Amino acid sequence: MKNEIKFDDPSLNIDWGMNLEEAIVSEKDQILPFIENCNSLF
């Protein structure tokens, strides 16, 4: 999980144009951290 964050991190403020509760997200992506919980992004 090097340099990966949740796609739906609220701090990114991305409007995905859909209901995110209906998104199909892989198990791998479901366990990614929010950006505030990352030690380093680079």
Side-chain angles (χ1 to χ4, degrees), residues 3-22:
N3 299 332
E4 295 178 291
I5 59 171
K6 284 188 171 281
F7 80 97
D8 60 346
D9 187 326
S11 68
L12 300 175
N13 198 30
I14 297 173
D15 179 5
W16 292 100
M18 63 177 285
N19 182 350
L20 297 182
E21 293 177 5
E22 297 175 3

Side-chain angles (χ1 to χ4, degrees), residues 22-33:
E22 297 175 3
I24 299 171
V25 182
S26 72
E27 289 182 30
K28 175 187 162 274
D29 289 343
Q30 290 177 26
I31 63 169
L32 292 172

